[in-house]
């Protein structure tokens, strides 16, 4: 890539990904790296941003980056922990705050004439999240902004393009945060805004052609956004040398296998559908533990996929729909000090016996960027707007052991719920929705007869990236009709509940 790049050094903040996404929204390419693993090609980056952190600069565990190749040599923006770090280790003073400031605050003072705060006015709302405060700035620092409770909310260092802010411009609640980042990156750092979906498609197609050449590539399609966009990109680059496999693991939504295959055929992709439902259900027989279910599903998929890949002569590459958050989350916030969030099924390669090289065309971009790239490629907006669906499918939405009858019940329930959201115009207002089949039977009455049948839980959340989520306040009338339809039309269910837990403390899925 020939784009200007921004380096984001991660100190373990929960907001680091948001910084990168906000920078990308400005059509500027950004990368996240651990604070202690600064790239050797630092000269290739036009600006650097220091993230926040759960650590304190005053503690023995304080994280110390080597800024010798950055300070005074490149435009530097220090956020929260970064701002405190620069103050504390440059002659200023950081001390515990008398009152921990967390949440919304307003700028009560902004230094006039500073390009860093161009088009941002007094009273602008910002988001604070800290228990320490900067008591005194370094001698060569210039105060740029204050809030009612935080005098040193923003400052710059004389004689170098270094800026620091105590608040978080990357979060939605900082109303002028995007403008502040634009002022720093475009006005101060003079970075070109040329990182666009069109440029990504053009460059990625060229990179795939250079990497793969005339080799054959096999790709496992899931029906989701990531694998679909990856397939269309690869098809654009290598055409008939791309072989797509769509496996029915018996845990898909109702009629999804047939409908997705039809959709892919209309897109001109070379797709083979493989119905391995019985193989997966046999592998899951009697297993109740959710992690063991995941492993059984994963192992069965590798076996089925390997069988099918061997039917293609001379295939050398496996394509995956890995996206940037998968990479970050699989290496403990890119190898930084925070704990591992999850081990992702797309990251980490394949069993040795498959002997395939990996190509990941979406590895550098976020989910929202994947959708924009998909739109540039002309993919159907309805497909791009599909809710996320777990890799193990309904296997982790059936709590306890899995049987064909339980899958049937949950598929019927899920279809009523999802189709209802679409009919009521609610589907696009929800980030993810689904139903859970609980390992609970409850007493009910239908007609004059006593029933003792299953309970299902409906779940709908709003989110931007799945890292945090709030439950959606669906209309009572919709929930009432949906509950009635499920109980009346799905044999084996006599009770419906709605999950009103947010993430955290709950998770989106139940297993």
């Amino acid at each position: 890539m020939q784009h200007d790049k921004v380096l984001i050094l991660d100190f373990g903040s929960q907001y680091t990904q948001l910084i990168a996404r906000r920078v990308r929204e400005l059509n500027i390419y950004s990368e996240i790296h651990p604070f202690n693993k600064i790239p050797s090609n630092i000269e290739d980056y036009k600006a650097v941003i220091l993230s926040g952190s759960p650590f304190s600069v005053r503690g023995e565990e304080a994280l110390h980056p080597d800024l010798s190749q950055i300070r005074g040599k490149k435009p530097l923006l220090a956020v929260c922990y970064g701002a405190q770090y620069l103050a504390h280790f440059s002659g200023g003073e950081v001390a515990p705050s008398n009152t921990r400031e967390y949440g919304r605050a307003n700028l009560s003072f902004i230094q006039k004439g500073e390009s860093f705060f161009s088009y941002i006015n007094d009273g602008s709302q910002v988001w604070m999240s800290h228990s320490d405060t900067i008591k005194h700035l370094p001698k060569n620092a210039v105060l740029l902004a204050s809030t009612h409770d935080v005098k040193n909310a923003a400052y710059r260092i004389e004689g170098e393009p270094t800026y620091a802010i105590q608040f978080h411009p990357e979060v939605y609640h900082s109303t002028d945060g995007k403008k502040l980042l634009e002022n720093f990156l475009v006005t101060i750092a003079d970075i070109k805004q040329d990182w666009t979906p069109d440029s990504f498609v053009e460059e990625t197609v060229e990179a795939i052609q250079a990497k793969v050449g005339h080799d054959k590539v096999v790709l496992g399609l899931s029906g989701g956004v990531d694998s679909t966009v990856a397939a269309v990109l690869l098809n654009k680059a290598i055409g008939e040398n791309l072989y797509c496999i769509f496996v029915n693991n018996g845990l898909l939504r109702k009629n999804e296998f047939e409908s997705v295959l039809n959709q892919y055929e209309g897109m001109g992709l070379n797709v083979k559908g493989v119905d391995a439902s019985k193989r997966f259900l046999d592998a899951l027989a009697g297993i109740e533990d959710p992690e063991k279910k995941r492993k059984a599903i994963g192992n069965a998929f590798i076996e089925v996929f390997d069988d099918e890949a061997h039917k293609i002569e001379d295939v050398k590459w496996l394509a995956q729909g890995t996206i940037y958050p998968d990479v970050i989350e699989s290496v403990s916030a890119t190898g930084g000090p925070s704990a591992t969030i999850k081990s992702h099924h797309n990251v980490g390669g394949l069993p040795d016996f498959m002997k395939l090289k990996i190509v990941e065309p979406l590895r550098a971009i976020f989910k929202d960027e994947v959708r924009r790239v998909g739109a540039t490629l002309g993919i159907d907006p309805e497909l791009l707007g599909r809710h996320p669906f777990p890799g193990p499918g309904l296997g982790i939405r059936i709590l306890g052991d899995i049987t064909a009858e339980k899958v049937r019940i949950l598929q019927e329930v899920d279809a009523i719920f999802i189709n209802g959201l679409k009919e009521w115009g609610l589907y696009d207002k929800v980030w993810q929705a689904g139903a859970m089949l609980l390992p609970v039977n409850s007493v009910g009455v239908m007609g004059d007869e006593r029933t003792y049948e299953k309970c299902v839980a409906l779940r709908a959340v709003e989110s931007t990236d799945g890292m945090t989520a709030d439950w959606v306040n669906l209309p009572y009338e919709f929930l009432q009709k949906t509950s009635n339809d499920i109980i009346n039309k799905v044999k084996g269910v006599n009770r419906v509940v709605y999950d009103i837990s947010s993430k955290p403390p709950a998770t989106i899925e139940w297993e």
Side-chain angles (χ1 to χ4, degrees):
M1 296 185 305
Q2 300 302 314
H3 301 278
D4 291 343
K5 298 193 295 184
V6 175
L7 171 64
I8 300 167
L9 293 182
D10 178 28
F11 292 87
S13 169
Q14 62 179 317
Y15 298 135
T16 304
Q17 278 198 41
L18 287 180
I19 299 175
R21 288 179 59 232
R22 292 290 177 263
V23 173
R24 300 280 187 93
E25 287 172 7
L26 294 169
N27 293 330
I28 295 172
Y29 181 73
S30 60
E31 289 180 357
I32 299 172
H33 289 265
F35 78 97
N36 55 355
K37 295 181 181 179
I38 297 174
S40 57
N41 60 332
I42 186 66
E43 66 277 1
D44 292 344
Y45 296 86
K46 288 270 290 186
V48 179
I49 298 176
L50 308 183
S51 83
S53 176
F55 296 95
S56 169
V57 298
R58 300 178 298 104
E60 292 182 2
E61 74 283 13
L63 310 178
H64 296 276
D66 179 5
L67 302 179
S68 59
Q69 299 301 310
I70 299 171
R71 282 285 302 269
K73 300 175 182 178
K74 293 183 180 294
L76 173 65
L77 174 60
V79 176
C80 199
Y81 177 91
Q84 294 178 358
Y85 182 88
L86 291 184
H88 187 66
F89 293 101
S90 300
E93 180 186 357
V94 175
S97 178
N98 292 330
T99 56
R100 184 172 184 264
E101 189 169 57
Y102 181 87
R104 294 173 178 84
N106 296 94
L107 297 179
S108 56
F109 161 76
I110 294 177
Q111 181 64 52
K112 304 302 180 185
E114 291 284 344
S115 56
F116 186 62
F117 278 100
S118 293
Y119 303 102
I120 300 174
N121 299 317
D122 291 353
S124 177
Q125 179 179 287
V126 297
W127 183 264
M128 296 285 188
S129 179
H130 57 96
S131 54
D132 287 345
T133 192
I134 301 171
K135 297 273 289 185
H136 300 291
L137 295 175
K139 290 182 179 179
N140 59 340
V142 177
L143 179 65
L144 297 183
S146 306
T147 69
H148 177 73
D149 294 317
V150 178
K151 179 182 178 182
N152 299 310
Y155 65 92
R156 65 175 173 84
I157 302 296
E158 286 275 27
E160 58 183 88
T162 297
Y163 293 78
I165 49 178
Q166 182 61 78
F167 53 90
H168 289 269
E170 67 273 20
V171 303
Y172 171 79
H173 306 290
S174 290
T175 52
D176 292 312
K178 187 175 179 180
K179 182 60 184 174
L180 192 76
L181 289 171
E182 183 180 5
N183 289 342
F184 172 70
L185 295 170
V186 179
T187 305
I188 294 170
D190 193 28
I191 294 178
K192 295 188 293 290
Q193 294 174 277
D194 58 1
W195 170 254
T196 64
D198 287 320
S199 68
F200 176 81
V201 170
E202 181 182 345
E203 292 162 9
T204 302
V205 166
E206 291 178 1
I208 292 170
Q209 292 170 337
K211 183 174 186 176
V212 173
H214 297 290
D215 293 344
K216 293 179 181 179
V217 178
V218 63
L219 167 66
L221 286 171
S222 69
V225 176
D226 301 337
S227 67
T228 300
V229 174
V232 175
L233 263 176
L234 284 156
N235 189 56
K236 188 176 177 69
I238 61 175
E240 62 183 13
N241 280 338
L242 174 65
Y243 295 79
C244 300
I245 298 171
F246 180 42
V247 177
N248 181 9
N249 59 10
L251 303 167
L252 302 174
R253 285 177 157 146
K254 184 179 179 181
N255 300 324
E256 187 171 26
F257 183 56
E258 296 79 11
S259 64
V260 169
L261 275 178
N262 290 335
Q263 191 171 32
Y264 280 143
E265 287 174 6
M267 295 168 66
L269 295 175
N270 176 20
V271 181
K272 179 180 180 181
V274 180
D275 189 352
S277 304
K278 186 178 185 306
R279 187 166 180 173
F280 279 84
L281 290 175
D282 288 347
L284 286 164
I287 299 176
E288 297 185 7
D289 180 84
E291 284 305 310
K292 290 181 179 177
K293 285 195 288 187
R294 279 188 171 88
K295 289 179 181 177
I297 293 168
N299 290 337
F301 178 80
I302 288 174
E303 291 171 2
V304 172
F305 194 81
D306 187 48
D307 289 345
E308 295 302 322
H310 274 93
K311 296 176 184 178
I312 306 168
E313 290 185 6
D314 299 323
V315 63
K316 295 182 180 179
W317 296 85
L318 170 77
Q320 296 190 137
T322 309
I323 62 176
Y324 198 37
D326 301 338
V327 178
I328 296 169
E329 292 172 356
S330 296
V331 288
S332 183
T334 65
S338 61
T340 299
I341 298 170
K342 66 177 179 179
S343 180
H344 196 272
H345 65 278
N346 272 351
V347 181
L350 293 167
D352 290 339
F353 66 80
M354 292 194 73
K355 305 298 182 186
L356 294 176
K357 295 177 285 186
I358 303 293
V359 56
E360 297 168 316
L362 307 179
R363 187 181 176 89
I365 61 177
F366 289 97
K367 189 78 168 188
D368 49 341
E369 293 177 299
V370 173
R371 289 194 167 98
R372 290 198 290 272
V373 167
T376 295
L377 291 167
I379 297 174
D380 187 341
E382 184 176 344
L383 194 156
L384 292 177
R386 286 191 65 184
H387 292 175
F389 189 62
L394 301 181
I396 58 169
R397 291 183 176 177
I398 298 172
L399 278 66
D401 69 317
I402 296 171
T403 65
E405 174 62 8
K406 289 181 179 179
V407 172
R408 179 200 67 78
I409 290 173
L410 190 55
Q411 284 178 331
E412 297 288 344
V413 171
D414 180 86
I416 291 172
F417 184 33
I418 298 301
N419 290 337
L421 288 171
K422 292 177 179 178
E423 290 167 7
W424 282 61
L426 297 168
Y427 185 84
D428 291 335
K429 298 177 182 178
V430 173
W431 190 77
Q432 185 172 351
M436 320 294 162
L437 182 64
L438 307 186
V440 174
N441 281 28
S442 67
V443 175
V445 178
M446 290 187 179
D448 294 324
E449 296 184 3
R450 175 185 183 274
T451 63
Y452 191 59
E453 296 180 331
K454 294 294 182 185
C455 174
V456 294
L458 306 182
R459 181 85 157 128
V461 299
E462 52 188 5
S463 178
T464 56
D465 50 23
M467 295 181 70
T468 60
D470 290 322
W471 63 278
V472 178
N473 190 4
L474 295 174
Y476 287 143
E477 295 82 5
F478 168 78
L479 291 172
Q480 181 183 45
K481 184 178 188 309
T482 302
S483 176
N484 287 341
D485 286 347
I486 289 171
I487 292 172
N488 288 330
K489 297 177 180 178
V490 183
K491 185 178 179 181
V493 176
N494 69 356
R495 191 176 298 270
V496 178
V497 299
Y498 186 54
D499 184 346
I500 58 170
S501 309
S502 295
K503 176 186 178 179
T507 53
I508 295 176
E509 300 292 341
W510 280 42
E511 286 193 341

